[in-house]
Amino acid sequence: SQTETRKADHLRICLEEDVQFRETTSGLERYRFAHCCLPELDRTEIDLTSTFLGKKLAVPLLISSMTGGTELAQTINYRLADVAQEYKLAMGVGSQRIIVEKPQLAPTFAVRRRAPDILLFANIGAVQLNYSYGLEECQKIVDILEADALILHLNPLQECVQTEGDTNFKGLLDKIAKLCDKLPVPVIAKEVGNGISGNMAKKLLAAGVGAIDIAGAGGTSWAKIEGKRAKDSKQRRLGTTFADWGIPTAECIVSTRAVAPDVPLIASGGLQNGLDAAKALALGADIAGLARPFLEAAAESESAAGVLAEVLIAEIATVMFCTGCANLDELKYSGVLERL
Ligand code: FMN
């Protein structure tokens, strides 16, 4: 089907081509941690645990929503699920829209069997609430996945560059509010790499979303990916023009935290390593999410994905040790991050 081809294209392009923002960066490089030469801590005792939407995480990391629907997608989802289970990370799957079209593809998303304990997020484009999706379908994709929450992704730019894009976003906030009211699990509003502003975060929270993933600019550029996929030269041109569009990740975190001090907040978009993840946490995020780095590792092998998780954890722990932070609250509230 068209959706399957699209999903296969996304994986191939993300793995083989340059899909990063050209000039826009996450903004995290404008921050530096204050080094502490005498932490008075035992590094092995640093506490990276936290609770998010009522579930315990060993490390505040999320393998961001990516894939499903094809054979390669299944391999990647299963490998990532094993890693999430082993290290007790959170995980999201890619858009499950295809399952409603083709229920026989549900096994490509079946990560719960392999990861019985993790915080797991279902995923669908919010704009589908204006097309084929209602409460019933949303409930179904949550149930099939045995998910703890439903991510609604907001991707207006991606839909513009995509040849077959769904671009009627009218009245969506109201539909999101109705869904939040009826769905028994929390709804998480997420971008796909162009960022959620503080203002928008406020509106989404008023509509009833239970958490936000700001998914800011600086990492994977969906305008670029859809531009590369497009056959039509006008669509290709759109992808190039808007390759650098969006709000940098660091700005999204700061502006969302400013208006919503207590919202469960995920930061993603262009986090390259555990140092970036730690900066996102110190700016106020509760969880740091990475997509493409986990895709690359998982496409290589399950052990490469495991190694990536271990490295990220070691990097976050090293930041905490060398800033004298014994736990994540200290990292967040003790002012160890300086703006350059
Ligand atoms: N985000 C979604 O919410 N739903 C998706 O279906 C989805 N598919 C993706 C597929 C691939 C191959 C990649 C790389 C990303 C996808 N994303 C999707 C976006 C990521 O979740 C993330 O927000 C974005 O890539 C920025 O993170 P990064 O810079 O670490 O890649």
Side-chain angles (χ1 to χ4, degrees), residues 127-206:
V127 73
Q128 293 313 318
L129 296 174
N130 268 354
Y131 292 84
S132 43
Y133 269 70
L135 173 65
E136 195 184 316
E137 289 79 12
C138 289
Q139 182 69 62
K140 190 169 158 193
I141 63 171
V142 168
D143 290 345
I144 287 180
L145 199 68
E146 297 175 58
D148 299 293
L150 171 66
I151 289 179
L152 287 182
H153 68 255
L154 297 157
N155 61 342
L157 178 60
Q158 182 185 10
E159 298 289 351
C160 287
V161 182
Q162 209 173 290
T163 313
E164 62 276 28
D166 294 325
T167 50
N168 177 16
F169 275 60
K170 259 191 189 170
L172 264 190
L173 191 62
D174 211 39
K175 289 190 180 162
I176 292 173
K178 292 203 171 87
L179 180 69
C180 291
D181 188 43
K182 297 263 159 58
L183 200 70
V185 297
V187 170
I188 304 173
K190 170 182 178 296
E191 239 284 350
V192 298
N194 303 108
I196 294 179
S197 66
N199 259 340
M200 229 32 250
K202 218 160 131 181
K203 289 188 188 171
L204 288 160
L205 288 169

Side-chain angles (χ1 to χ4, degrees), residues 30-105:
R30 285 176 215 136
Y31 293 85
R32 180 177 64 201
F33 281 105
H35 176 63
C36 168
C37 70
L38 210 180
E40 294 280 358
L41 294 171
D42 179 344
R43 185 176 186 267
T44 62
E45 288 171 7
I46 286 172
D47 181 7
L48 291 175
T49 62
S50 60
T51 304
F52 194 86
L53 298 178
K55 228 169 188 170
K56 196 121 195 202
L57 297 177
V59 198
L61 285 173
L62 165 71
I63 300 172
S64 286
S65 315
M66 280 189 282
T67 199
T70 67
E71 209 180 303
L72 176 60
Q74 171 170 308
T75 303
I76 286 169
N77 272 339
Y78 287 7
R79 288 177 180 170
L80 291 173
D82 290 347
V83 169
Q85 177 69 18
E86 180 173 356
Y87 297 94
K88 298 283 179 295
L89 318 179
M91 178 176 169
V93 296
S95 170
Q96 294 167 267
R97 181 178 164 193
I98 198 168
I99 299 185
V100 172
E101 285 171 29
K102 286 194 166 187
Q104 70 271 27
L105 292 176

Side-chain angles (χ1 to χ4, degrees), residues 1-7 9 97-98 101 164 229:
S1 78
Q2 207 177 50
T3 317
E4 276 170 275
T5 314
R6 191 166 82 239
K7 294 295 146 189
D9 283 353
R97 181 178 164 193
I98 198 168
E101 285 171 29
E164 62 276 28
R229 266 191 74 230

